[in-house]
Coordinates of all heavy atoms in Angstrom, one line a residue:
M39 N -4.0 -9.7 -19.2 CA -3.5 -11.1 -19.7 C -2.3 -11.5 -18.8 O -1.4 -10.7 -18.5 CB -3.1 -11.0 -21.1 CG -4.2 -11.1 -22.2 SD -4.9 -12.7 -22.0 CE -3.7 -13.7 -22.9
L40 N -2.3 -12.7 -18.4 CA -1.2 -13.3 -17.7 C -0.1 -13.6 -18.7 O -0.3 -14.0 -19.8 CB -1.6 -14.6 -17.0 CG -2.6 -14.4 -15.8 CD1 -3.0 -15.8 -15.3 CD2 -2.0 -13.6 -14.7
P41 N 1.2 -13.5 -18.3 CA 2.3 -13.9 -19.2 C 2.3 -15.4 -19.4 O 2.3 -16.1 -18.4 CB 3.6 -13.4 -18.4 CG 3.1 -13.1 -17.1 CD 1.7 -13.0 -17.0
K42 N 2.3 -15.8 -20.7 CA 2.2 -17.2 -21.1 C 3.4 -17.5 -22.0 O 3.9 -16.6 -22.8 CB 0.9 -17.5 -21.9 CG -0.3 -17.6 -21.0 CD -1.5 -17.8 -21.9 CE -2.8 -17.8 -21.0 NZ -4.0 -18.1 -21.8
K43 N 3.9 -18.8 -21.8 CA 4.9 -19.2 -22.7 C 4.6 -20.7 -23.1 O 4.2 -21.5 -22.3 CB 6.3 -19.2 -22.0 CG 7.0 -17.9 -22.0 CD 8.4 -18.0 -21.3 CE 9.1 -16.7 -21.4 NZ 10.4 -16.8 -20.6
Q44 N 4.9 -21.0 -24.4 CA 4.7 -22.3 -24.9 C 6.1 -23.1 -24.7 O 7.1 -22.6 -25.1 CB 4.4 -22.3 -26.4 CG 3.0 -21.6 -26.8 CD 1.9 -22.4 -26.3 OE1 1.8 -23.6 -26.2 NE2 0.8 -21.7 -25.9
R45 N 6.0 -24.3 -24.1 CA 7.2 -25.0 -23.9 C 7.1 -26.5 -24.4 O 6.0 -27.1 -24.2 CB 7.6 -25.1 -22.4 CG 8.1 -23.7 -21.9 CD 9.5 -23.6 -22.3 NE 10.1 -22.3 -21.9 CZ 10.2 -21.3 -22.7 NH1 9.7 -21.3 -23.9 NH2 10.7 -20.1 -22.3
R46 N 8.1 -27.0 -25.0 CA 8.1 -28.4 -25.4 C 8.6 -29.3 -24.3 O 9.7 -29.0 -23.8 CB 8.9 -28.6 -26.7 CG 8.9 -30.0 -27.2 CD 7.9 -30.2 -28.2 NE 7.9 -29.4 -29.4 CZ 6.9 -29.4 -30.3 NH1 5.9 -30.1 -30.1 NH2 7.0 -28.6 -31.3
T47 N 7.9 -30.3 -23.9 CA 8.4 -31.3 -22.8 C 9.2 -32.3 -23.4 O 9.2 -32.6 -24.6 CB 7.1 -31.9 -22.1 OG1 6.4 -32.7 -23.0 CG2 6.3 -30.8 -21.5
P48 N 10.0 -33.0 -22.6 CA 10.8 -34.2 -23.0 C 9.9 -35.3 -23.7 O 10.4 -36.0 -24.6 CB 11.4 -34.7 -21.8 CG 11.5 -33.6 -20.9 CD 10.2 -32.8 -21.1
G49 N 8.6 -35.4 -23.2 CA 7.7 -36.4 -23.9 C 7.1 -35.9 -25.2 O 6.1 -36.4 -25.6
N50 N 7.7 -34.8 -25.7 CA 7.2 -34.2 -27.0 C 5.8 -33.7 -27.0 O 5.1 -33.7 -28.0 CB 7.5 -35.2 -28.1 CG 7.6 -34.4 -29.5 OD1 8.0 -33.3 -29.4 ND2 7.3 -35.1 -30.6
R51 N 5.3 -33.1 -25.8 CA 4.0 -32.5 -25.8 C 4.3 -31.0 -25.7 O 5.4 -30.6 -25.2 CB 3.3 -32.8 -24.5 CG 2.6 -34.2 -24.6 CD 1.7 -34.5 -23.4 NE 2.4 -34.2 -22.1 CZ 1.9 -33.4 -21.1 NH1 0.7 -32.8 -21.3 NH2 2.6 -33.3 -20.0
T52 N 3.5 -30.1 -26.1 CA 3.5 -28.7 -26.0 C 2.7 -28.3 -24.8 O 1.5 -28.6 -24.8 CB 3.2 -28.0 -27.3 OG1 3.9 -28.5 -28.3 CG2 3.4 -26.5 -27.2
V53 N 3.2 -27.6 -23.9 CA 2.4 -27.2 -22.7 C 2.6 -25.6 -22.6 O 3.5 -25.1 -23.0 CB 2.9 -27.9 -21.4 CG1 2.6 -29.3 -21.4 CG2 4.4 -27.6 -21.1
T54 N 1.6 -25.1 -22.0 CA 1.6 -23.6 -21.8 C 2.0 -23.3 -20.3 O 1.2 -23.9 -19.4 CB 0.2 -23.1 -22.1 OG1 -0.2 -23.5 -23.3 CG2 0.2 -21.5 -22.1
H55 N 3.0 -22.6 -20.1 CA 3.3 -22.1 -18.7 C 2.8 -20.7 -18.5 O 3.1 -19.8 -19.3 CB 4.9 -22.2 -18.5 CG 5.4 -23.5 -18.5 ND1 6.7 -23.8 -18.2 CD2 4.8 -24.8 -18.6 CE1 7.0 -25.1 -18.1 NE2 5.8 -25.7 -18.4
T56 N 2.1 -20.5 -17.4 CA 1.6 -19.2 -17.1 C 2.2 -18.8 -15.7 O 2.4 -19.6 -14.8 CB 0.1 -19.1 -17.0 OG1 -0.3 -20.2 -16.1 CG2 -0.6 -19.2 -18.3
K57 N 2.5 -17.5 -15.7 CA 3.1 -16.9 -14.4 C 2.0 -16.2 -13.7 O 1.2 -15.5 -14.3 CB 4.2 -15.9 -14.8 CG 5.6 -16.6 -15.0 CD 6.6 -15.5 -15.1 CE 8.0 -16.2 -15.1 NZ 9.1 -15.1 -15.3
P58 N 2.0 -16.3 -12.3 CA 0.9 -15.6 -11.6 C 1.2 -14.1 -11.6 O 2.3 -13.6 -11.8 CB 1.1 -16.1 -10.2 CG 2.3 -16.9 -10.1 CD 2.8 -17.2 -11.5
K59 N 0.1 -13.3 -11.6 CA 0.1 -11.9 -11.7 C 0.7 -11.2 -10.5 O 0.3 -11.6 -9.4 CB -1.3 -11.4 -12.0 CG -1.3 -10.1 -12.9 CD -2.7 -9.8 -13.2 CE -2.8 -8.6 -14.1 NZ -4.2 -8.2 -14.4
K60 N 1.5 -10.2 -10.7 CA 1.9 -9.4 -9.5 C 0.9 -8.4 -9.1 O 0.1 -8.0 -9.9 CB 3.2 -8.6 -10.0 CG 4.5 -9.3 -9.9 CD 5.6 -8.3 -10.3 CE 7.0 -8.9 -10.1 NZ 8.0 -7.9 -10.4
T61 N 0.9 -8.0 -7.8 CA 0.0 -7.1 -7.3 C 0.4 -5.7 -7.8 O 1.6 -5.5 -8.2 CB -0.1 -7.1 -5.8 OG1 1.2 -6.8 -5.3 CG2 -0.6 -8.3 -5.2
G62 N -0.5 -4.7 -7.8 CA -0.1 -3.4 -8.3 C 0.6 -2.7 -7.2 O 0.8 -3.1 -6.1
Y63 N 1.1 -1.4 -7.5 CA 1.8 -0.6 -6.6 C 0.8 -0.1 -5.6 O -0.4 0.1 -5.8 CB 2.4 0.6 -7.3 CG 3.6 0.3 -8.1 CD1 3.5 0.3 -9.4 CD2 4.8 0.0 -7.5 CE1 4.6 0.0 -10.3 CE2 5.9 -0.4 -8.3 CZ 5.8 -0.3 -9.7 OH 6.9 -0.7 -10.5
H64 N 1.2 0.0 -4.3 CA 0.3 0.4 -3.2 C 0.3 2.0 -3.3 O 1.4 2.6 -3.5 CB 0.8 0.0 -1.8 CG 0.7 -1.5 -1.8 ND1 -0.4 -2.2 -1.1 CD2 1.5 -2.5 -2.2 CE1 -0.2 -3.5 -1.2 NE2 0.9 -3.7 -1.8
E65 N -0.9 2.6 -3.1 CA -1.0 4.0 -3.2 C -1.4 4.7 -1.9 O -2.1 4.0 -1.1 CB -2.1 4.4 -4.3 CG -1.7 4.1 -5.7 CD -2.7 4.5 -6.6 OE1 -3.9 4.9 -6.2 OE2 -2.6 4.4 -7.9
C66 N -0.9 5.9 -1.7 CA -1.4 6.7 -0.6 C -2.9 7.0 -0.7 O -3.4 7.3 -1.7 CB -0.6 8.0 -0.5 SG -1.2 9.1 0.8
A67 N -3.6 6.9 0.4 CA -5.1 7.0 0.4 C -5.5 8.5 0.2 O -6.6 8.7 -0.3 CB -5.7 6.5 1.7
L68 N -4.6 9.4 0.4 CA -4.9 10.8 0.3 C -4.4 11.4 -1.0 O -5.2 12.0 -1.8 CB -4.4 11.7 1.5 CG -5.1 11.4 2.8 CD1 -4.4 12.2 3.9 CD2 -6.5 11.8 2.8
C69 N -3.1 11.2 -1.3 CA -2.6 11.9 -2.5 C -2.3 10.9 -3.7 O -2.0 11.3 -4.7 CB -1.3 12.6 -2.1 SG 0.1 11.4 -1.7
H70 N -2.6 9.6 -3.5 CA -2.5 8.6 -4.5 C -1.1 8.5 -5.1 O -0.8 8.0 -6.2 CB -3.5 8.9 -5.6 CG -4.9 8.9 -5.2 ND1 -5.6 7.8 -4.7 CD2 -5.7 9.9 -5.0 CE1 -6.8 8.1 -4.3 NE2 -6.9 9.4 -4.4
G71 N -0.1 8.9 -4.2 CA 1.3 8.7 -4.6 C 1.7 7.2 -4.3 O 1.0 6.6 -3.5
I72 N 2.8 6.8 -4.9 CA 3.2 5.4 -4.7 C 3.8 5.3 -3.3 O 4.6 6.1 -3.0 CB 4.2 4.9 -5.8 CG1 3.4 4.8 -7.1 CG2 4.8 3.6 -5.4 CD1 4.3 4.5 -8.3
L73 N 3.4 4.3 -2.5 CA 4.0 4.1 -1.2 C 5.3 3.4 -1.2 O 5.5 2.4 -1.9 CB 3.0 3.3 -0.3 CG 1.7 4.0 0.1 CD1 0.9 3.1 1.0 CD2 2.0 5.3 0.9
H74 N 6.3 3.9 -0.5 CA 7.6 3.2 -0.3 C 7.5 2.2 0.7 O 6.6 2.3 1.7 CB 8.7 4.3 -0.1 CG 8.8 5.3 -1.2 ND1 9.3 5.0 -2.4 CD2 8.4 6.6 -1.2 CE1 9.3 6.0 -3.1 NE2 8.8 7.1 -2.5
G75 N 8.4 1.2 0.7 CA 8.4 0.2 1.8 C 7.3 -0.8 1.7 O 7.2 -1.6 2.6
T76 N 6.6 -0.8 0.6 CA 5.5 -1.9 0.5 C 5.9 -2.7 -0.7 O 6.3 -2.2 -1.8 CB 4.1 -1.3 0.2 OG1 4.3 -0.3 -0.9 CG2 3.6 -0.5 1.4
P77 N 5.9 -4.0 -0.6 CA 6.4 -5.0 -1.6 C 5.4 -5.1 -2.8 O 4.2 -4.8 -2.7 CB 6.5 -6.3 -0.9 CG 5.5 -6.2 0.2 CD 5.4 -4.8 0.5
R78 N 6.0 -5.4 -4.0 CA 5.2 -5.8 -5.1 C 5.6 -7.1 -5.6 O 6.8 -7.4 -5.9 CB 5.5 -4.7 -6.2 CG 4.6 -4.8 -7.4 CD 4.6 -3.6 -8.3 NE 3.7 -3.9 -9.4 CZ 4.0 -4.2 -10.6 NH1 5.3 -4.3 -10.9 NH2 3.1 -4.4 -11.5
G79 N 4.6 -8.0 -5.7 CA 4.9 -9.4 -6.1 C 3.6 -10.2 -6.3 O 2.6 -9.6 -6.2
T80 N 3.7 -11.5 -6.3 CA 2.5 -12.3 -6.4 C 1.9 -12.3 -5.0 O 2.6 -12.1 -4.0 CB 2.8 -13.7 -7.0 OG1 3.6 -14.3 -6.0 CG2 3.5 -13.7 -8.3
V81 N 0.6 -12.7 -4.9 CA 0.0 -12.8 -3.6 C 0.6 -13.7 -2.7 O 0.9 -13.5 -1.6 CB -1.5 -13.1 -3.8 CG1 -2.2 -13.3 -2.5 CG2 -2.2 -12.0 -4.6
V82 N 1.0 -14.9 -3.2 CA 1.7 -15.9 -2.4 C 3.0 -15.4 -1.9 O 3.3 -15.6 -0.7 CB 1.9 -17.2 -3.3 CG1 2.7 -18.2 -2.5 CG2 0.6 -17.8 -3.7
Q83 N 3.8 -14.7 -2.7 CA 5.1 -14.2 -2.2 C 4.9 -13.2 -1.1 O 5.6 -13.3 -0.1 CB 5.8 -13.4 -3.4 CG 6.4 -14.3 -4.4 CD 6.9 -13.5 -5.5 OE1 6.5 -12.4 -5.8 NE2 7.9 -14.1 -6.3
I84 N 3.9 -12.4 -1.2 CA 3.7 -11.3 -0.2 C 3.1 -12.0 1.1 O 3.5 -11.6 2.2 CB 2.7 -10.3 -0.7 CG1 3.5 -9.4 -1.8 CG2 2.2 -9.3 0.4 CD1 2.6 -8.5 -2.5
R85 N 2.2 -13.0 1.0 CA 1.7 -13.6 2.2 C 2.8 -14.3 3.0 O 2.6 -14.5 4.2 CB 0.5 -14.6 1.9 CG -0.7 -14.0 1.3 CD -1.2 -12.8 2.1 NE -1.5 -13.2 3.4 CZ -1.9 -12.2 4.3 NH1 -1.9 -11.0 4.0 NH2 -2.3 -12.6 5.5
K86 N 3.9 -14.8 2.3 CA 4.9 -15.5 2.9 C 5.9 -14.6 3.7 O 6.6 -15.0 4.5 CB 5.7 -16.3 1.9 CG 5.1 -17.7 1.5 CD 6.0 -18.4 0.5 CE 5.3 -19.7 0.2 NZ 6.1 -20.3 -1.0
M87 N 5.8 -13.3 3.4 CA 6.7 -12.3 4.1 C 6.2 -12.1 5.5 O 5.1 -12.4 5.9 CB 6.6 -11.0 3.4 CG 7.3 -11.0 2.0 SD 7.2 -9.4 1.3 CE 8.1 -9.6 -0.1
K88 N 7.2 -11.6 6.3 CA 6.8 -11.2 7.7 C 6.0 -10.0 7.6 O 6.1 -9.2 6.7 CB 8.1 -11.0 8.5 CG 8.8 -12.2 8.8 CD 10.2 -11.9 9.3 CE 11.1 -13.1 9.4 NZ 12.5 -12.9 9.5
K89 N 5.2 -9.7 8.7 CA 4.3 -8.6 8.7 C 5.1 -7.3 8.6 O 4.7 -6.3 7.9 CB 3.5 -8.6 10.1 CG 2.3 -7.6 10.0 CD 1.5 -7.8 11.3 CE 0.3 -7.0 11.3 NZ -0.6 -7.2 12.4
S90 N 6.3 -7.3 9.2 CA 7.1 -6.0 9.2 C 7.7 -5.8 7.8 O 8.2 -4.7 7.6 CB 8.3 -6.2 10.3 OG 9.1 -7.3 10.0
E91 N 7.7 -6.8 7.0 CA 8.3 -6.6 5.6 C 7.2 -6.1 4.7 O 7.5 -5.8 3.5 CB 8.9 -8.0 5.1 CG 10.2 -8.4 5.8 CD 10.6 -9.8 5.5 OE1 9.8 -10.6 5.0 OE2 11.8 -10.0 5.6
R92 N 5.9 -6.2 5.1 CA 4.8 -5.9 4.2 C 4.5 -4.4 4.2 O 3.9 -3.9 3.3 CB 3.6 -6.7 4.6 CG 3.7 -8.1 4.2 CD 2.4 -8.8 4.5 NE 2.7 -10.1 5.0 CZ 1.9 -10.7 5.9 NH1 0.8 -10.1 6.3 NH2 2.2 -11.9 6.4
R93 N 4.8 -3.7 5.3 CA 4.5 -2.3 5.4 C 5.3 -1.6 6.5 O 5.8 -2.3 7.4 CB 3.0 -2.0 5.6 CG 2.5 -2.1 7.0 CD 2.2 -3.6 7.3 NE 1.7 -3.7 8.7 CZ 2.5 -3.7 9.8 NH1 3.7 -3.4 9.7 NH2 1.9 -3.8 10.9
P94 N 5.6 -0.3 6.4 CA 6.4 0.4 7.5 C 5.6 0.3 8.8 O 4.3 0.3 8.8 CB 6.4 1.8 7.0 CG 6.1 1.8 5.5 CD 5.2 0.7 5.3
T95 N 6.3 0.3 9.9 CA 5.7 0.0 11.2 C 5.4 1.3 11.9 O 5.2 1.3 13.1 CB 6.6 -0.8 12.1 OG1 7.9 -0.3 12.1 CG2 6.6 -2.3 11.6
R96 N 5.3 2.4 11.2 CA 4.9 3.7 11.8 C 3.4 3.8 11.8 O 2.7 3.1 11.0 CB 5.5 4.9 11.2 CG 5.2 5.0 9.7 CD 5.5 6.4 9.1 NE 5.1 6.4 7.8 CZ 5.9 6.1 6.7 NH1 7.1 5.9 6.9 NH2 5.4 6.3 5.5
P97 N 2.7 4.8 12.5 CA 1.3 5.0 12.4 C 0.9 5.3 10.9 O 1.7 6.0 10.2 CB 1.0 6.2 13.3 CG 2.1 6.2 14.2 CD 3.3 5.6 13.6
F98 N -0.2 4.7 10.5 CA -0.7 4.8 9.0 C 0.3 4.2 8.1 O 0.2 4.5 6.8 CB -1.0 6.2 8.7 CG -2.0 6.9 9.5 CD1 -1.7 7.9 10.4 CD2 -3.3 6.5 9.5 CE1 -2.6 8.5 11.2 CE2 -4.3 7.0 10.3 CZ -4.0 8.0 11.2
G99 N 1.3 3.4 8.5 CA 2.2 2.8 7.6 C 1.5 1.8 6.6 O 0.6 1.1 7.1
G100 N 1.7 1.9 5.3 CA 1.0 1.1 4.3 C -0.4 1.8 3.9 O -1.1 1.2 3.1
Q101 N -0.8 2.9 4.6 CA -2.1 3.6 4.2 C -1.7 4.9 3.6 O -2.2 5.3 2.6 CB -2.9 3.8 5.4 CG -3.7 2.5 5.9 CD -4.5 2.9 7.1 OE1 -5.3 3.9 7.0 NE2 -4.4 2.1 8.1
L102 N -0.9 5.7 4.4 CA -0.6 7.1 3.9 C 0.9 7.2 3.7 O 1.7 6.5 4.3 CB -1.0 8.1 5.0 CG -2.5 8.1 5.5 CD1 -2.6 9.1 6.5 CD2 -3.4 8.4 4.3
C103 N 1.3 8.1 2.8 CA 2.7 8.4 2.6 C 3.2 9.2 3.7 O 2.4 9.7 4.6 CB 2.9 9.1 1.2 SG 2.3 10.7 1.1
S104 N 4.6 9.3 3.8 CA 5.1 10.0 5.0 C 4.7 11.5 5.0 O 4.5 12.1 6.1 CB 6.6 9.9 5.0 OG 7.2 10.5 3.8
K105 N 4.5 12.1 3.8 CA 4.2 13.6 3.8 C 2.8 13.8 4.4 O 2.5 14.6 5.2 CB 4.1 14.1 2.4 CG 5.5 14.6 1.9 CD 5.3 15.2 0.5 CE 6.7 15.7 0.0 NZ 6.5 16.1 -1.4
C106 N 1.8 12.8 4.0 CA 0.4 13.0 4.4 C 0.3 12.6 5.9 O -0.5 13.2 6.6 CB -0.5 12.1 3.6 SG -0.6 12.6 1.9
T107 N 1.2 11.6 6.4 CA 1.1 11.3 7.7 C 1.6 12.5 8.6 O 1.0 12.7 9.7 CB 2.1 10.1 8.0 OG1 1.7 9.0 7.1 CG2 2.0 9.6 9.4
R108 N 2.6 13.2 8.2 CA 3.1 14.4 8.9 C 2.0 15.4 9.0 O 1.8 16.0 10.0 CB 4.3 14.9 8.1 CG 5.6 15.1 9.0 CD 6.8 15.4 8.2 NE 7.3 14.3 7.6 CZ 8.1 14.3 6.5 NH1 8.5 15.4 5.9 NH2 8.5 13.2 6.0
K109 N 1.3 15.6 7.9 CA 0.1 16.6 7.9 C -0.9 16.2 9.0 O -1.3 17.0 9.8 CB -0.5 16.6 6.5 CG -0.3 17.8 5.7 CD -1.3 17.8 4.5 CE -0.5 17.8 3.2 NZ -1.3 17.5 2.0
V110 N -1.3 14.9 9.0 CA -2.3 14.4 9.9 C -1.8 14.6 11.3 O -2.6 15.1 12.2 CB -2.6 12.9 9.5 CG1 -3.4 12.3 10.7 CG2 -3.4 12.8 8.2
M111 N -0.6 14.2 11.6 CA 0.0 14.3 12.9 C 0.0 15.7 13.4 O -0.2 16.1 14.6 CB 1.4 13.6 13.0 CG 1.3 12.1 12.9 SD 0.2 11.4 14.1 CE 0.4 9.7 13.7
S112 N 0.4 16.7 12.5 CA 0.4 18.1 12.8 C -0.9 18.6 13.2 O -1.1 19.2 14.3 CB 1.0 18.8 11.6 OG 0.7 20.2 11.8
F113 N -2.0 18.2 12.5 CA -3.4 18.6 12.8 C -3.8 18.0 14.2 O -4.5 18.6 14.9 CB -4.4 18.2 11.7 CG -4.4 19.2 10.6 CD1 -4.0 18.9 9.3 CD2 -4.9 20.5 10.9 CE1 -4.0 19.9 8.3 CE2 -5.0 21.5 9.9 CZ -4.5 21.1 8.6
R114 N -3.4 16.7 14.5 CA -3.8 16.1 15.7 C -3.2 16.9 16.9 O -3.9 17.1 17.9 CB -3.2 14.7 15.7 CG -4.1 13.6 15.1 CD -3.6 12.3 15.5 NE -4.5 11.3 14.8 CZ -4.4 10.0 15.0 NH1 -3.4 9.5 15.7 NH2 -5.2 9.2 14.4
A115 N -1.9 17.3 16.8 CA -1.3 18.0 17.9 C -1.9 19.3 18.1 O -2.1 19.7 19.2 CB 0.2 18.1 17.5
Q116 N -2.2 20.0 16.9 CA -2.9 21.3 17.1 C -4.3 21.1 17.7 O -4.7 22.0 18.5 CB -3.0 22.0 15.7 CG -1.7 22.4 15.2 CD -1.8 23.0 13.8 OE1 -2.6 23.9 13.5 NE2 -1.0 22.4 12.8
L117 N -5.0 20.1 17.4 CA -6.3 19.9 18.0 C -6.1 19.6 19.5 O -6.9 20.1 20.4 CB -7.0 18.7 17.4 CG -7.9 19.0 16.2 CD1 -8.5 17.7 15.7 CD2 -9.0 19.9 16.5
K118 N -5.2 18.8 19.9 CA -4.9 18.4 21.3 C -4.5 19.6 22.1 O -5.0 19.8 23.2 CB -3.9 17.3 21.3 CG -3.9 16.5 22.7 CD -2.9 15.4 22.7 CE -2.9 14.7 24.0 NZ -1.8 13.8 24.1
G119 N -3.7 20.5 21.5 CA -3.3 21.7 22.2 C -4.3 22.8 22.1 O -4.1 23.9 22.6
E120 N -5.5 22.5 21.5 CA -6.6 23.5 21.4 C -6.2 24.7 20.6 O -6.6 25.9 20.9 CB -7.3 23.8 22.7 CG -8.0 22.5 23.2 CD -8.5 22.7 24.7 OE1 -8.4 23.8 25.2 OE2 -9.1 21.8 25.1
I121 N -5.2 24.6 19.7 CA -4.8 25.7 18.8 C -5.8 25.9 17.7 O -6.1 27.1 17.4 CB -3.4 25.5 18.3 CG1 -2.4 25.3 19.4 CG2 -3.0 26.6 17.3 CD1 -1.0 24.8 19.0
I122 N -6.4 24.9 17.2 CA -7.4 25.0 16.2 C -8.6 24.2 16.7 O -8.6 23.5 17.6 CB -7.0 24.4 14.8 CG1 -6.5 23.0 15.0 CG2 -5.9 25.3 14.2 CD1 -6.2 22.3 13.7
K123 N -9.8 24.5 16.0 CA -11.0 23.8 16.3 C -11.2 22.7 15.3 O -10.6 22.6 14.2 CB -12.3 24.8 16.1 CG -12.3 25.8 17.1 CD -13.4 26.9 16.8 CE -13.3 28.1 17.7 NZ -14.1 29.2 17.2
P124 N -12.0 21.6 15.7 CA -12.2 20.5 14.8 C -12.8 20.9 13.4 O -12.5 20.2 12.4 CB -13.3 19.6 15.5 CG -13.2 20.0 17.0 CD -12.7 21.4 17.0
E125 N -13.5 22.0 13.3 CA -14.1 22.5 12.1 C -13.0 23.0 11.1 O -13.2 23.1 9.9 CB -15.1 23.6 12.2 CG -16.3 23.2 13.1 CD -16.0 23.5 14.6 OE1 -15.9 24.8 15.0 OE2 -15.9 22.6 15.4
D126 N -11.8 23.4 11.7 CA -10.7 23.9 10.9 C -9.9 22.9 10.1 O -9.2 23.2 9.2 CB -9.8 24.8 11.7 CG -10.5 25.9 12.4 OD1 -11.5 26.4 11.9 OD2 -10.1 26.4 13.5
V127 N -10.1 21.6 10.5 CA -9.4 20.6 9.8 C -10.0 20.3 8.4 O -11.3 20.2 8.3 CB -9.4 19.2 10.7 CG1 -8.8 18.1 10.0 CG2 -8.9 19.5 12.0
P128 N -9.2 20.2 7.4 CA -9.8 19.9 6.0 C -10.6 18.6 6.0 O -10.2 17.7 6.8 CB -8.6 19.8 5.1 CG -7.5 20.4 5.9 CD -7.8 20.4 7.3
I129 N -11.8 18.6 5.3 CA -12.6 17.4 5.3 C -11.9 16.2 4.9 O -12.2 15.1 5.5 CB -13.9 17.7 4.4 CG1 -14.8 18.8 5.0 CG2 -14.7 16.5 4.1 CD1 -15.9 19.3 4.1
S130 N -11.0 16.3 4.0 CA -10.4 15.0 3.5 C -9.5 14.4 4.6 O -9.3 13.2 4.5 CB -9.5 15.4 2.3 OG -8.5 16.3 2.6
L131 N -9.0 15.2 5.6 CA -8.2 14.7 6.6 C -8.9 14.3 7.8 O -8.4 13.6 8.7 CB -7.1 15.7 7.0 CG -6.2 16.1 5.9 CD1 -5.2 17.2 6.5 CD2 -5.3 15.0 5.4
R132 N -10.3 14.6 7.9 CA -11.0 14.5 9.2 C -11.0 13.0 9.7 O -10.9 12.7 10.9 CB -12.4 15.0 9.1 CG -12.4 16.5 9.4 CD -13.8 17.1 9.3 NE -13.6 18.5 9.1 CZ -14.6 19.3 8.9 NH1 -15.8 18.8 8.8 NH2 -14.4 20.6 8.7
G133 N -11.2 12.1 8.8 CA -11.3 10.6 9.2 C -10.0 10.2 9.8 O -10.0 9.3 10.7
Y134 N -8.9 10.7 9.4 CA -7.6 10.3 10.0 C -7.3 11.1 11.3 O -6.7 10.6 12.2 CB -6.5 10.5 9.0 CG -6.7 9.6 7.8 CD1 -7.2 10.1 6.6 CD2 -6.3 8.3 7.8 CE1 -7.4 9.3 5.5 CE2 -6.6 7.5 6.7 CZ -7.1 8.0 5.6 OH -7.3 7.2 4.5
V135 N -7.6 12.4 11.3 CA -7.2 13.3 12.4 C -8.1 13.0 13.7 O -7.5 12.9 14.7 CB -7.4 14.8 12.0 CG1 -7.2 15.7 13.2 CG2 -6.4 15.1 10.9
N136 N -9.4 12.9 13.5 CA -10.2 12.7 14.7 C -10.1 11.3 15.3 O -10.6 11.0 16.4 CB -11.7 13.0 14.3 CG -11.9 14.4 13.9 OD1 -11.1 15.3 14.3 ND2 -12.9 14.7 13.1
G137 N -9.3 10.4 14.7 CA -9.1 9.1 15.3 C -10.1 8.1 15.0 O -11.2 8.4 14.4
V138 N -9.9 6.9 15.4 CA -10.8 5.8 15.2 C -11.9 5.8 16.1 O -11.7 6.0 17.3 CB -10.0 4.4 15.3 CG1 -10.9 3.2 14.9 CG2 -8.8 4.5 14.4
Ligands
LIG238 ZN1 0.1 10.9 0.4

């Protein structure tokens, strides 16, 4: 339900004022924790913001939390250095580690 309020106008009419709904909290795609640095507001408010105000500008900013990003980057480095094999990466992380 949208927040509604009954208001009396100067012309003695009763009108209903409704406020637009805020977007939900943004969640990490892996651990479902709340993402920091992402705004919560109405769609119009968020679209008016600059791109840099909408999500952090690091890799996976606005998708993964910093802890999960660190995990993914660690596996990427280990794969590049051939310390581990691609099969050793957990299935949940493979989509992020193996790249686009
Ligand atoms: Zn996470």
Side-chain angles (χ1 to χ4, degrees):
M39 275 298 281
L40 295 173
K42 285 180 182 177
K43 273 184 180 176
Q44 298 290 329
R45 287 284 176 263
R46 180 90 63 191
T47 63
N50 204 25
R51 281 189 308 130
T52 308
V53 292
T54 311
H55 287 186
T56 50
K57 275 190 176 176
K59 209 175 180 182
K60 274 184 175 182
T61 57
Y63 289 104
H64 296 262
E65 287 181 356
C66 171
L68 290 175
C69 69
H70 303 289
I72 291 174
L73 287 183
H74 298 289
T76 52
R78 187 165 181 257
T80 64
V81 174
V82 173
Q83 283 173 340
I84 291 174
R85 293 314 296 173
K86 278 182 181 172
M87 287 177 177
K88 291 167 189 164
K89 195 173 188 180
S90 61
E91 288 171 339
R92 288 185 221 144
R93 80 280 179 282
T95 51
R96 60 167 183 262
F98 301 112
Q101 284 182 48
L102 301 180
C103 68
S104 59
K105 271 186 186 174
C106 294
T107 306
R108 232 171 282 160
K109 249 190 240 172
V110 167
M111 290 305 180
S112 163
F113 276 114
R114 270 192 182 183
Q116 289 177 53
L117 269 180
K118 200 176 179 190
E120 295 176 356
I121 298 167
I122 56 169
K123 291 172 190 169
E125 303 91 63
D126 299 334
V127 178
I129 289 175
S130 61
L131 297 180
R132 275 183 199 170
Y134 297 98
V135 172
N136 295 336
V138 181

